[in-house]
Amino acid sequence: MRRPASTQIGGDARIAAVWNQLAGVMDPELDESIVDLGFVEDIAIGADGRVDVAFRLPTYWCSPNFAFLMADDIGRAVRELPWAREVHPRLEDHMFSQEVNRGTHLGLSFAETFRDLEVSDTLESLRETFLRKAFQRRQEAVILGLRRAGWSDAALVTTDLATLDRAVITDPEGLRQKPRYREILLARGLAARPSDLAFVTLDGAAIPADGLALHLRGLRAIRINMEANGALCRGLLDARYDEGPRAAAAMPSGHACGSAGASIGCCGSCALHAGGAVPAARDAGTPLSL
Amino acid sequence: MFRTPDGEEIFIIDGHTHFWDGSPENQANIHGKQFIDCFYAYHTALSPKDQLWSKEQFEKYSADKMHHDLFVDGPDDMAIVQSTYLSEFYKNGFNTIERNLDMAKAYPDRYIVNGAFDPRDGEKAIEYIHFMKENYNIKGVKLYTAEWKGDSRGWKLTDPSAYRCLELCQKLGITNVHVHKGPTIIPLDKDAFDVHDVDHAATDFQGLNFIIEHCGLPRLDDFCWIAVQETNVYGGLAVALPFIHSRPRYFAEVISELLFWVGEDKILFGSDYAIWTPRWLVEKFWNFEIPEDIKQEHGVDLTREAKRKILGLNAARLYNVDVEAQKARLKDASLAVAAE
């Protein structure tokens, strides 16, 4: 988890409370907290109770609709704090920074914010697409956690909510996702009473025991995609805002050809380029692309 | 040519390479700067430390350097060069077909240069496809649906204007359509990386092969479903493959999913040069084995035969490359160079 030193030090309880609220804001596409992902760059609290939250995304090109959702969710989450007077989310270094910041500042809807672009209405169907994926990813983690704890497919497909609540999962991902799965299961109205089935399809249908393996295969593709995207986003964010390669460490010494070191005949052009490929020296701490 | 530790010669076709100019001199605006910066972030995020380039080198490199990195230091036998115009971001374009052909002319046995078109050009796009076929005899095109043009912030393969272009490609035998799904901003309330238009186009153009670069990432799951249903949909491994270094288990899971859904006959190696260089990718890929637990769970294996197909034979099939004849031709050419 990445937290800028400027807001971490000082022990301000209000700052901590803002971080806590932000931890509950998700990247809708990754179903991960924007704090865990390192998107939140800075928090500032004014004497009048005004809260500024600066956030940035892995690339300049990240989907503006998701950026808008995150800005909107940041505003909502922080406004839940009773002392917060005004909340200003601020998206930085993005192709639509200006539009998103203006829209959230004025309390405009998505459609009002982007009236110049082609927007039919709201983001609800987009949000729904990714909530479905989040549901599936969380469900898979819990089912796999229970399988690892020795549960049979027959037991899993007949498990009710009360049984799920009592179930013990030790697998870390299953443990992490269990409360999140329960939350989204109830939020989507797929279970309500303790006797309701705990594992159902997106449409609320029961899963036959001999169909669970196939069901899980579908879920697995979603999880692998989200994990790969999460890893990519973290890597791109680090590359975008952290230090770049240094001259000393950037290139292999000698021939770029490596093993063909002595053979000038085969790699004349290597000798030609080895010098040209060495990066110019860069001062420590210079950001790559700001 | 890649020689395996036990002496087998593997024929390599690098299915996705570029010869770009992203230098500040060529950038038309902030978007041009941000575009190459984003590429550089991919490069630094997923490359091994000893393979990192300086920013300046990355922004613009010479034809000699590209040849060296792919064929001298690198194991490629042939490379498919993709054209991407980005005329709104770069004064002379990012890598136009003319720039690519000029780079490739010294090595006609090595490079296959693909064209590109923008269906929003209307009649001009149709004329341009004819022009590229007649003058350059292109076998494929690279389509970048996220390209900006005037007020437009992207297009879809299912747009009527795109269908007209695809009809013409099919008629002229420009059979390989490489599709890159960048963030398409319009309509803004939809998924910016949606790949479902590929599904419709693939169904309607059975005479074309659709190679989805990056295997649809960040929509790998949707891509897998589409590739299962459409026999003419392929996956390009660029972006997914570099995980082999930084996150080998993720890579194992991704390649296992692809092998299960898409199959070893429909996956193509691509370095995405100059974002990554092929030598370390091919070496690591050849030596890679899917961990036993993932192999069991997915019920697939990355066999030697699968690796041969992915590294070259699949692309050879799509581009009508006679591998044995091509090997002989390249051997003759290198002997001729050595004799000089």
Side-chain angles (χ1 to χ4, degrees), chain A residues 29 60 65 118 120 133 217 220 223 225 229 239 250 256 270 276 279, chain B residues 31 44 52 54 57 68 73 186 188-190 218-221 253 257 298:
Chain A
E29 197 179 8
Y60 180 77
N65 40 32
E118 203 179 303
S120 60
K133 293 191 181 197
R217 209 175 243 300
R220 188 171 67 200
R223 183 245 312 162
N225 182 58
N229 289 342
C270 164
Chain B
H31 306 307
T44 51
L52 291 175
S54 71
Q57 175 70 84
H68 177 264
D73 180 50
I186 286 182
L188 191 58
D189 50 332
K190 295 290 185 294
R219 299 289 174 267
L220 180 77
D221 48 343
E253 292 207 283
E257 278 299 288
H298 289 252

PDB file of all heavy atoms in Angstrom, chain A residues 29 60 65 118 120 133 217 220 223 225 229 239 250 256 270 276 279, chain B residues 31 44 52 54 57 68 73 186 188-190 218-221 253 257 298:
ATOM      1  N   GLU A  29     -13.321  -1.388 -12.511  1.00  0.00           N
ATOM      2  CA  GLU A  29     -12.880  -2.368 -13.484  1.00  0.00           C
ATOM      3  C   GLU A  29     -12.059  -3.470 -12.831  1.00  0.00           C
ATOM      4  O   GLU A  29     -12.083  -4.614 -13.274  1.00  0.00           O
ATOM      5  CB  GLU A  29     -12.033  -1.630 -14.522  1.00  0.00           C
ATOM      6  CG  GLU A  29     -11.799  -2.344 -15.798  1.00  0.00           C
ATOM      7  CD  GLU A  29     -10.967  -1.488 -16.743  1.00  0.00           C
ATOM      8  OE1 GLU A  29     -10.474  -0.427 -16.316  1.00  0.00           O
ATOM      9  OE2 GLU A  29     -10.811  -1.893 -17.894  1.00  0.00           O
ATOM     10  N   TYR A  60      -2.434   8.208 -18.918  1.00  0.00           N
ATOM     11  CA  TYR A  60      -3.165   9.387 -19.378  1.00  0.00           C
ATOM     12  C   TYR A  60      -4.448   8.973 -20.095  1.00  0.00           C
ATOM     13  O   TYR A  60      -5.379   9.729 -20.223  1.00  0.00           O
ATOM     14  CB  TYR A  60      -2.220  10.097 -20.348  1.00  0.00           C
ATOM     15  CG  TYR A  60      -2.686  11.368 -21.016  1.00  0.00           C
ATOM     16  CD1 TYR A  60      -2.695  12.571 -20.315  1.00  0.00           C
ATOM     17  CD2 TYR A  60      -3.016  11.384 -22.368  1.00  0.00           C
ATOM     18  CE1 TYR A  60      -3.051  13.749 -20.955  1.00  0.00           C
ATOM     19  CE2 TYR A  60      -3.372  12.567 -23.010  1.00  0.00           C
ATOM     20  CZ  TYR A  60      -3.397  13.740 -22.288  1.00  0.00           C
ATOM     21  OH  TYR A  60      -3.741  14.912 -22.927  1.00  0.00           O
ATOM     22  N   ASN A  65     -14.645   7.324 -18.279  1.00  0.00           N
ATOM     23  CA  ASN A  65     -15.888   7.038 -17.557  1.00  0.00           C
ATOM     24  C   ASN A  65     -15.590   6.430 -16.178  1.00  0.00           C
ATOM     25  O   ASN A  65     -16.223   6.781 -15.187  1.00  0.00           O
ATOM     26  CB  ASN A  65     -16.808   6.150 -18.388  1.00  0.00           C
ATOM     27  CG  ASN A  65     -16.075   5.061 -19.126  1.00  0.00           C
ATOM     28  OD1 ASN A  65     -15.053   4.566 -18.646  1.00  0.00           O
ATOM     29  ND2 ASN A  65     -16.577   4.669 -20.282  1.00  0.00           N
ATOM     30  N   GLU A 118     -20.326  11.896 -27.009  1.00  0.00           N
ATOM     31  CA  GLU A 118     -21.494  11.058 -27.259  1.00  0.00           C
ATOM     32  C   GLU A 118     -21.849  10.276 -25.993  1.00  0.00           C
ATOM     33  O   GLU A 118     -21.209   9.279 -25.673  1.00  0.00           O
ATOM     34  CB  GLU A 118     -21.130  10.088 -28.387  1.00  0.00           C
ATOM     35  CG  GLU A 118     -22.282   9.521 -29.157  1.00  0.00           C
ATOM     36  CD  GLU A 118     -21.748   8.597 -30.246  1.00  0.00           C
ATOM     37  OE1 GLU A 118     -20.953   9.036 -31.081  1.00  0.00           O
ATOM     38  OE2 GLU A 118     -22.125   7.421 -30.216  1.00  0.00           O
ATOM     39  N   SER A 120     -25.152   8.654 -23.938  1.00  0.00           N
ATOM     40  CA  SER A 120     -26.591   8.451 -24.060  1.00  0.00           C
ATOM     41  C   SER A 120     -27.300   8.835 -22.758  1.00  0.00           C
ATOM     42  O   SER A 120     -28.295   9.510 -22.765  1.00  0.00           O
ATOM     43  CB  SER A 120     -26.901   7.012 -24.444  1.00  0.00           C
ATOM     44  OG  SER A 120     -26.409   6.139 -23.461  1.00  0.00           O
ATOM     45  N   LYS A 133     -18.922  -8.806 -13.075  1.00  0.00           N
ATOM     46  CA  LYS A 133     -17.611  -9.434 -13.051  1.00  0.00           C
ATOM     47  C   LYS A 133     -17.062  -9.498 -11.621  1.00  0.00           C
ATOM     48  O   LYS A 133     -16.413 -10.477 -11.236  1.00  0.00           O
ATOM     49  CB  LYS A 133     -16.643  -8.697 -13.977  1.00  0.00           C
ATOM     50  CG  LYS A 133     -17.021  -8.838 -15.452  1.00  0.00           C
ATOM     51  CD  LYS A 133     -15.930  -8.341 -16.384  1.00  0.00           C
ATOM     52  CE  LYS A 133     -16.392  -8.489 -17.839  1.00  0.00           C
ATOM     53  NZ  LYS A 133     -15.290  -8.404 -18.818  1.00  0.00           N
ATOM     54  N   ARG A 217     -15.044 -22.727 -14.373  1.00  0.00           N
ATOM     55  CA  ARG A 217     -14.193 -22.437 -15.521  1.00  0.00           C
ATOM     56  C   ARG A 217     -14.518 -21.064 -16.106  1.00  0.00           C
ATOM     57  O   ARG A 217     -13.631 -20.314 -16.492  1.00  0.00           O
ATOM     58  CB  ARG A 217     -14.381 -23.514 -16.590  1.00  0.00           C
ATOM     59  CG  ARG A 217     -13.160 -23.709 -17.419  1.00  0.00           C
ATOM     60  CD  ARG A 217     -13.325 -24.850 -18.395  1.00  0.00           C
ATOM     61  NE  ARG A 217     -12.416 -25.952 -18.180  1.00  0.00           N
ATOM     62  CZ  ARG A 217     -11.088 -25.875 -18.222  1.00  0.00           C
ATOM     63  NH1 ARG A 217     -10.501 -24.732 -18.412  1.00  0.00           N
ATOM     64  NH2 ARG A 217     -10.347 -26.932 -18.049  1.00  0.00           N
ATOM     65  N   ARG A 220     -13.161 -18.449 -13.720  1.00  0.00           N
ATOM     66  CA  ARG A 220     -11.702 -18.371 -13.679  1.00  0.00           C
ATOM     67  C   ARG A 220     -11.167 -17.381 -14.716  1.00  0.00           C
ATOM     68  O   ARG A 220     -10.249 -16.612 -14.452  1.00  0.00           O
ATOM     69  CB  ARG A 220     -11.118 -19.760 -13.928  1.00  0.00           C
ATOM     70  CG  ARG A 220      -9.627 -19.828 -13.711  1.00  0.00           C
ATOM     71  CD  ARG A 220      -9.147 -21.254 -13.764  1.00  0.00           C
ATOM     72  NE  ARG A 220      -9.307 -21.781 -15.096  1.00  0.00           N
ATOM     73  CZ  ARG A 220      -9.339 -23.096 -15.383  1.00  0.00           C
ATOM     74  NH1 ARG A 220      -9.260 -23.988 -14.417  1.00  0.00           N
ATOM     75  NH2 ARG A 220      -9.464 -23.493 -16.620  1.00  0.00           N
ATOM     76  N   ARG A 223     -11.419 -13.935 -13.351  1.00  0.00           N
ATOM     77  CA  ARG A 223     -10.416 -13.640 -12.306  1.00  0.00           C
ATOM     78  C   ARG A 223      -9.036 -13.416 -12.932  1.00  0.00           C
ATOM     79  O   ARG A 223      -8.329 -12.469 -12.595  1.00  0.00           O
ATOM     80  CB  ARG A 223     -10.373 -14.777 -11.290  1.00  0.00           C
ATOM     81  CG  ARG A 223      -9.415 -14.525 -10.144  1.00  0.00           C
ATOM     82  CD  ARG A 223      -8.241 -15.486 -10.078  1.00  0.00           C
ATOM     83  NE  ARG A 223      -8.666 -16.865 -10.215  1.00  0.00           N
ATOM     84  CZ  ARG A 223      -7.839 -17.837 -10.524  1.00  0.00           C
ATOM     85  NH1 ARG A 223      -6.575 -17.593 -10.749  1.00  0.00           N
ATOM     86  NH2 ARG A 223      -8.289 -19.076 -10.656  1.00  0.00           N
ATOM     87  N   ASN A 225      -8.244 -12.462 -15.899  1.00  0.00           N
ATOM     88  CA  ASN A 225      -8.222 -11.178 -16.596  1.00  0.00           C
ATOM     89  C   ASN A 225      -8.075 -10.022 -15.614  1.00  0.00           C
ATOM     90  O   ASN A 225      -7.268  -9.118 -15.814  1.00  0.00           O
ATOM     91  CB  ASN A 225      -9.503 -11.011 -17.409  1.00  0.00           C
ATOM     92  CG  ASN A 225      -9.502  -9.707 -18.185  1.00  0.00           C
ATOM     93  OD1 ASN A 225      -8.628  -9.456 -18.979  1.00  0.00           O
ATOM     94  ND2 ASN A 225     -10.469  -8.854 -17.903  1.00  0.00           N
ATOM     95  N   ASN A 229      -4.921  -7.453 -15.288  1.00  0.00           N
ATOM     96  CA  ASN A 229      -5.118  -6.008 -15.401  1.00  0.00           C
ATOM     97  C   ASN A 229      -4.618  -5.275 -14.170  1.00  0.00           C
ATOM     98  O   ASN A 229      -4.025  -4.206 -14.264  1.00  0.00           O
ATOM     99  CB  ASN A 229      -6.595  -5.680 -15.604  1.00  0.00           C
ATOM    100  CG  ASN A 229      -7.081  -6.082 -16.974  1.00  0.00           C
ATOM    101  OD1 ASN A 229      -6.284  -6.289 -17.877  1.00  0.00           O
ATOM    102  ND2 ASN A 229      -8.379  -6.201 -17.125  1.00  0.00           N
ATOM    103  N   ALA A 239       5.775   2.763 -13.084  1.00  0.00           N
ATOM    104  CA  ALA A 239       6.671   3.228 -14.143  1.00  0.00           C
ATOM    105  C   ALA A 239       6.410   4.698 -14.448  1.00  0.00           C
ATOM    106  O   ALA A 239       7.320   5.456 -14.752  1.00  0.00           O
ATOM    107  CB  ALA A 239       6.477   2.386 -15.402  1.00  0.00           C
ATOM    108  N   ALA A 250      21.293   0.432 -16.642  1.00  0.00           N
ATOM    109  CA  ALA A 250      20.316   0.318 -17.717  1.00  0.00           C
ATOM    110  C   ALA A 250      20.711  -0.660 -18.812  1.00  0.00           C
ATOM    111  O   ALA A 250      19.858  -1.288 -19.407  1.00  0.00           O
ATOM    112  CB  ALA A 250      20.082   1.698 -18.327  1.00  0.00           C
ATOM    113  N   ALA A 256      26.010  -5.729 -26.799  1.00  0.00           N
ATOM    114  CA  ALA A 256      24.583  -5.954 -26.609  1.00  0.00           C
ATOM    115  C   ALA A 256      24.222  -7.368 -27.022  1.00  0.00           C
ATOM    116  O   ALA A 256      23.204  -7.915 -26.628  1.00  0.00           O
ATOM    117  CB  ALA A 256      23.770  -4.943 -27.418  1.00  0.00           C
ATOM    118  N   CYS A 270      26.181  -4.441 -33.753  1.00  0.00           N
ATOM    119  CA  CYS A 270      26.096  -4.373 -32.296  1.00  0.00           C
ATOM    120  C   CYS A 270      27.091  -3.341 -31.794  1.00  0.00           C
ATOM    121  O   CYS A 270      26.778  -2.470 -31.011  1.00  0.00           O
ATOM    122  CB  CYS A 270      26.391  -5.733 -31.672  1.00  0.00           C
ATOM    123  SG  CYS A 270      26.741  -5.642 -29.916  1.00  0.00           S
ATOM    124  N   GLY A 276      25.351   3.950 -28.664  1.00  0.00           N
ATOM    125  CA  GLY A 276      24.160   4.765 -28.875  1.00  0.00           C
ATOM    126  C   GLY A 276      23.012   4.397 -27.972  1.00  0.00           C
ATOM    127  O   GLY A 276      22.138   5.199 -27.716  1.00  0.00           O
ATOM    128  N   PRO A 279      21.665   4.964 -22.008  1.00  0.00           N
ATOM    129  CA  PRO A 279      20.839   6.117 -21.674  1.00  0.00           C
ATOM    130  C   PRO A 279      21.667   7.287 -21.155  1.00  0.00           C
ATOM    131  O   PRO A 279      22.716   7.082 -20.555  1.00  0.00           O
ATOM    132  CB  PRO A 279      19.931   5.592 -20.550  1.00  0.00           C
ATOM    133  CG  PRO A 279      20.124   4.126 -20.511  1.00  0.00           C
ATOM    134  CD  PRO A 279      21.432   3.826 -21.143  1.00  0.00           C
TER     135      PRO A 279
ATOM    136  N   HIS B  31      -0.821  15.071 -26.476  1.00  0.00           N
ATOM    137  CA  HIS B  31      -1.268  13.688 -26.649  1.00  0.00           C
ATOM    138  C   HIS B  31      -0.155  12.823 -27.244  1.00  0.00           C
ATOM    139  O   HIS B  31       0.005  11.662 -26.875  1.00  0.00           O
ATOM    140  CB  HIS B  31      -2.512  13.644 -27.530  1.00  0.00           C
ATOM    141  CG  HIS B  31      -3.610  14.540 -27.037  1.00  0.00           C
ATOM    142  ND1 HIS B  31      -4.088  14.482 -25.750  1.00  0.00           N
ATOM    143  CD2 HIS B  31      -4.306  15.519 -27.652  1.00  0.00           C
ATOM    144  CE1 HIS B  31      -5.033  15.401 -25.597  1.00  0.00           C
ATOM    145  NE2 HIS B  31      -5.186  16.041 -26.737  1.00  0.00           N
ATOM    146  N   THR B  44       9.115  -0.047 -19.320  1.00  0.00           N
ATOM    147  CA  THR B  44       9.839  -0.093 -18.040  1.00  0.00           C
ATOM    148  C   THR B  44       9.123  -0.975 -17.020  1.00  0.00           C
ATOM    149  O   THR B  44       9.764  -1.594 -16.182  1.00  0.00           O
ATOM    150  CB  THR B  44      10.032   1.317 -17.446  1.00  0.00           C
ATOM    151  OG1 THR B  44       8.777   1.989 -17.422  1.00  0.00           O
ATOM    152  CG2 THR B  44      11.005   2.122 -18.267  1.00  0.00           C
ATOM    153  N   LEU B  52      16.449  -2.484 -20.217  1.00  0.00           N
ATOM    154  CA  LEU B  52      15.797  -1.168 -20.301  1.00  0.00           C
ATOM    155  C   LEU B  52      16.545  -0.226 -21.235  1.00  0.00           C
ATOM    156  O   LEU B  52      17.766  -0.170 -21.243  1.00  0.00           O
ATOM    157  CB  LEU B  52      15.704  -0.550 -18.900  1.00  0.00           C
ATOM    158  CG  LEU B  52      14.742  -1.257 -17.945  1.00  0.00           C
ATOM    159  CD1 LEU B  52      14.817  -0.629 -16.555  1.00  0.00           C
ATOM    160  CD2 LEU B  52      13.317  -1.204 -18.474  1.00  0.00           C
ATOM    161  N   SER B  54      16.979   3.865 -22.668  1.00  0.00           N
ATOM    162  CA  SER B  54      16.745   5.241 -22.231  1.00  0.00           C
ATOM    163  C   SER B  54      15.492   5.750 -22.945  1.00  0.00           C
ATOM    164  O   SER B  54      15.113   5.234 -24.002  1.00  0.00           O
ATOM    165  CB  SER B  54      17.929   6.128 -22.598  1.00  0.00           C
ATOM    166  OG  SER B  54      17.949   6.329 -24.008  1.00  0.00           O
ATOM    167  N   GLN B  57      16.319   6.973 -26.490  1.00  0.00           N
ATOM    168  CA  GLN B  57      16.509   5.884 -27.440  1.00  0.00           C
ATOM    169  C   GLN B  57      15.163   5.287 -27.842  1.00  0.00           C
ATOM    170  O   GLN B  57      14.925   4.941 -28.994  1.00  0.00           O
ATOM    171  CB  GLN B  57      17.393   4.808 -26.797  1.00  0.00           C
ATOM    172  CG  GLN B  57      17.561   3.571 -27.636  1.00  0.00           C
ATOM    173  CD  GLN B  57      18.410   3.840 -28.866  1.00  0.00           C
ATOM    174  OE1 GLN B  57      19.625   3.808 -28.814  1.00  0.00           O
ATOM    175  NE2 GLN B  57      17.763   4.132 -29.980  1.00  0.00           N
ATOM    176  N   HIS B  68      19.149  -5.059 -36.035  1.00  0.00           N
ATOM    177  CA  HIS B  68      20.052  -5.717 -35.086  1.00  0.00           C
ATOM    178  C   HIS B  68      19.279  -6.375 -33.936  1.00  0.00           C
ATOM    179  O   HIS B  68      19.522  -7.529 -33.580  1.00  0.00           O
ATOM    180  CB  HIS B  68      21.033  -4.686 -34.535  1.00  0.00           C
ATOM    181  CG  HIS B  68      21.948  -5.259 -33.510  1.00  0.00           C
ATOM    182  ND1 HIS B  68      21.719  -5.170 -32.169  1.00  0.00           N
ATOM    183  CD2 HIS B  68      23.076  -5.995 -33.659  1.00  0.00           C
ATOM    184  CE1 HIS B  68      22.669  -5.797 -31.521  1.00  0.00           C
ATOM    185  NE2 HIS B  68      23.513  -6.311 -32.391  1.00  0.00           N
ATOM    186  N   ASP B  73      21.066  -9.653 -32.762  1.00  0.00           N
ATOM    187  CA  ASP B  73      21.008 -10.008 -31.343  1.00  0.00           C
ATOM    188  C   ASP B  73      19.769 -10.873 -31.083  1.00  0.00           C
ATOM    189  O   ASP B  73      19.800 -11.789 -30.276  1.00  0.00           O
ATOM    190  CB  ASP B  73      20.949  -8.735 -30.493  1.00  0.00           C
ATOM    191  CG  ASP B  73      20.885  -9.036 -29.007  1.00  0.00           C
ATOM    192  OD1 ASP B  73      21.723  -9.837 -28.545  1.00  0.00           O
ATOM    193  OD2 ASP B  73      19.997  -8.503 -28.331  1.00  0.00           O
ATOM    194  N   ILE B 186     -15.612   7.017 -27.520  1.00  0.00           N
ATOM    195  CA  ILE B 186     -17.022   7.230 -27.861  1.00  0.00           C
ATOM    196  C   ILE B 186     -17.686   5.917 -28.246  1.00  0.00           C
ATOM    197  O   ILE B 186     -17.108   5.155 -29.008  1.00  0.00           O
ATOM    198  CB  ILE B 186     -17.120   8.239 -29.019  1.00  0.00           C
ATOM    199  CG1 ILE B 186     -16.803   9.628 -28.467  1.00  0.00           C
ATOM    200  CG2 ILE B 186     -18.500   8.232 -29.649  1.00  0.00           C
ATOM    201  CD1 ILE B 186     -16.925  10.705 -29.518  1.00  0.00           C
ATOM    202  N   LEU B 188     -19.048   7.391 -24.743  1.00  0.00           N
ATOM    203  CA  LEU B 188     -18.327   7.485 -23.478  1.00  0.00           C
ATOM    204  C   LEU B 188     -18.945   6.659 -22.353  1.00  0.00           C
ATOM    205  O   LEU B 188     -18.287   6.336 -21.378  1.00  0.00           O
ATOM    206  CB  LEU B 188     -18.262   8.960 -23.058  1.00  0.00           C
ATOM    207  CG  LEU B 188     -17.346   9.315 -21.907  1.00  0.00           C
ATOM    208  CD1 LEU B 188     -15.917   8.903 -22.203  1.00  0.00           C
ATOM    209  CD2 LEU B 188     -17.402  10.796 -21.622  1.00  0.00           C
ATOM    210  N   ASP B 189     -20.203   6.306 -22.487  1.00  0.00           N
ATOM    211  CA  ASP B 189     -20.838   5.554 -21.401  1.00  0.00           C
ATOM    212  C   ASP B 189     -20.687   4.050 -21.588  1.00  0.00           C
ATOM    213  O   ASP B 189     -21.262   3.270 -20.849  1.00  0.00           O
ATOM    214  CB  ASP B 189     -22.318   5.940 -21.276  1.00  0.00           C
ATOM    215  CG  ASP B 189     -23.031   5.876 -22.607  1.00  0.00           C
ATOM    216  OD1 ASP B 189     -22.357   6.060 -23.637  1.00  0.00           O
ATOM    217  OD2 ASP B 189     -24.239   5.650 -22.624  1.00  0.00           O
ATOM    218  N   LYS B 190     -19.928   3.634 -22.585  1.00  0.00           N
ATOM    219  CA  LYS B 190     -19.738   2.197 -22.815  1.00  0.00           C
ATOM    220  C   LYS B 190     -18.328   1.781 -22.420  1.00  0.00           C
ATOM    221  O   LYS B 190     -17.463   2.621 -22.185  1.00  0.00           O
ATOM    222  CB  LYS B 190     -19.971   1.882 -24.301  1.00  0.00           C
ATOM    223  CG  LYS B 190     -21.407   2.119 -24.758  1.00  0.00           C
ATOM    224  CD  LYS B 190     -22.351   1.081 -24.164  1.00  0.00           C
ATOM    225  CE  LYS B 190     -23.764   1.229 -24.691  1.00  0.00           C
ATOM    226  NZ  LYS B 190     -24.431   2.476 -24.283  1.00  0.00           N
ATOM    227  N   PRO B 218      -7.243  -5.270 -22.078  1.00  0.00           N
ATOM    228  CA  PRO B 218      -7.692  -5.762 -20.775  1.00  0.00           C
ATOM    229  C   PRO B 218      -9.042  -6.492 -20.779  1.00  0.00           C
ATOM    230  O   PRO B 218      -9.719  -6.479 -19.745  1.00  0.00           O
ATOM    231  CB  PRO B 218      -7.776  -4.472 -19.952  1.00  0.00           C
ATOM    232  CG  PRO B 218      -8.074  -3.394 -20.939  1.00  0.00           C
ATOM    233  CD  PRO B 218      -7.495  -3.831 -22.249  1.00  0.00           C
ATOM    234  N   ARG B 219      -9.407  -7.133 -21.842  1.00  0.00           N
ATOM    235  CA  ARG B 219     -10.665  -7.895 -21.867  1.00  0.00           C
ATOM    236  C   ARG B 219     -10.381  -9.325 -22.321  1.00  0.00           C
ATOM    237  O   ARG B 219     -11.065  -9.845 -23.209  1.00  0.00           O
ATOM    238  CB  ARG B 219     -11.693  -7.224 -22.800  1.00  0.00           C
ATOM    239  CG  ARG B 219     -12.079  -5.830 -22.380  1.00  0.00           C
ATOM    240  CD  ARG B 219     -12.936  -5.791 -21.126  1.00  0.00           C
ATOM    241  NE  ARG B 219     -13.144  -4.422 -20.702  1.00  0.00           N
ATOM    242  CZ  ARG B 219     -12.372  -3.794 -19.811  1.00  0.00           C
ATOM    243  NH1 ARG B 219     -11.365  -4.433 -19.223  1.00  0.00           N
ATOM    244  NH2 ARG B 219     -12.609  -2.539 -19.502  1.00  0.00           N
ATOM    245  N   LEU B 220      -9.400  -9.931 -21.708  1.00  0.00           N
ATOM    246  CA  LEU B 220      -8.996 -11.290 -22.049  1.00  0.00           C
ATOM    247  C   LEU B 220     -10.153 -12.284 -21.941  1.00  0.00           C
ATOM    248  O   LEU B 220     -10.308 -13.179 -22.781  1.00  0.00           O
ATOM    249  CB  LEU B 220      -7.860 -11.711 -21.102  1.00  0.00           C
ATOM    250  CG  LEU B 220      -7.264 -13.084 -21.263  1.00  0.00           C
ATOM    251  CD1 LEU B 220      -6.331 -13.106 -22.457  1.00  0.00           C
ATOM    252  CD2 LEU B 220      -6.499 -13.490 -20.012  1.00  0.00           C
ATOM    253  N   ASP B 221     -10.966 -12.131 -20.924  1.00  0.00           N
ATOM    254  CA  ASP B 221     -12.073 -13.069 -20.698  1.00  0.00           C
ATOM    255  C   ASP B 221     -13.094 -12.996 -21.835  1.00  0.00           C
ATOM    256  O   ASP B 221     -13.515 -14.018 -22.377  1.00  0.00           O
ATOM    257  CB  ASP B 221     -12.744 -12.829 -19.333  1.00  0.00           C
ATOM    258  CG  ASP B 221     -13.065 -11.366 -19.075  1.00  0.00           C
ATOM    259  OD1 ASP B 221     -12.505 -10.490 -19.775  1.00  0.00           O
ATOM    260  OD2 ASP B 221     -13.876 -11.099 -18.178  1.00  0.00           O
ATOM    261  N   GLU B 253      -1.022 -18.713 -15.951  1.00  0.00           N
ATOM    262  CA  GLU B 253      -2.483 -18.764 -15.944  1.00  0.00           C
ATOM    263  C   GLU B 253      -3.063 -18.193 -17.233  1.00  0.00           C
ATOM    264  O   GLU B 253      -4.007 -18.744 -17.797  1.00  0.00           O
ATOM    265  CB  GLU B 253      -3.027 -17.995 -14.736  1.00  0.00           C
ATOM    266  CG  GLU B 253      -2.689 -18.677 -13.419  1.00  0.00           C
ATOM    267  CD  GLU B 253      -3.700 -18.358 -12.344  1.00  0.00           C
ATOM    268  OE1 GLU B 253      -3.629 -17.240 -11.813  1.00  0.00           O
ATOM    269  OE2 GLU B 253      -4.547 -19.216 -12.023  1.00  0.00           O
ATOM    270  N   GLU B 257      -5.206 -20.307 -19.999  1.00  0.00           N
ATOM    271  CA  GLU B 257      -6.552 -19.926 -20.451  1.00  0.00           C
ATOM    272  C   GLU B 257      -6.598 -19.855 -21.972  1.00  0.00           C
ATOM    273  O   GLU B 257      -7.537 -20.340 -22.602  1.00  0.00           O
ATOM    274  CB  GLU B 257      -6.930 -18.541 -19.894  1.00  0.00           C
ATOM    275  CG  GLU B 257      -7.457 -18.544 -18.487  1.00  0.00           C
ATOM    276  CD  GLU B 257      -8.738 -19.354 -18.330  1.00  0.00           C
ATOM    277  OE1 GLU B 257      -9.791 -18.917 -18.795  1.00  0.00           O
ATOM    278  OE2 GLU B 257      -8.669 -20.442 -17.728  1.00  0.00           O
ATOM    279  N   HIS B 298      -6.044 -26.514 -15.193  1.00  0.00           N
ATOM    280  CA  HIS B 298      -6.561 -26.082 -16.491  1.00  0.00           C
ATOM    281  C   HIS B 298      -6.698 -27.223 -17.487  1.00  0.00           C
ATOM    282  O   HIS B 298      -7.397 -27.084 -18.486  1.00  0.00           O
ATOM    283  CB  HIS B 298      -5.661 -25.001 -17.090  1.00  0.00           C
ATOM    284  CG  HIS B 298      -5.743 -23.687 -16.393  1.00  0.00           C
ATOM    285  ND1 HIS B 298      -6.353 -22.582 -16.935  1.00  0.00           N
ATOM    286  CD2 HIS B 298      -5.296 -23.296 -15.185  1.00  0.00           C
ATOM    287  CE1 HIS B 298      -6.267 -21.570 -16.090  1.00  0.00           C
ATOM    288  NE2 HIS B 298      -5.620 -21.972 -15.023  1.00  0.00           N
TER     289      HIS B 298
END
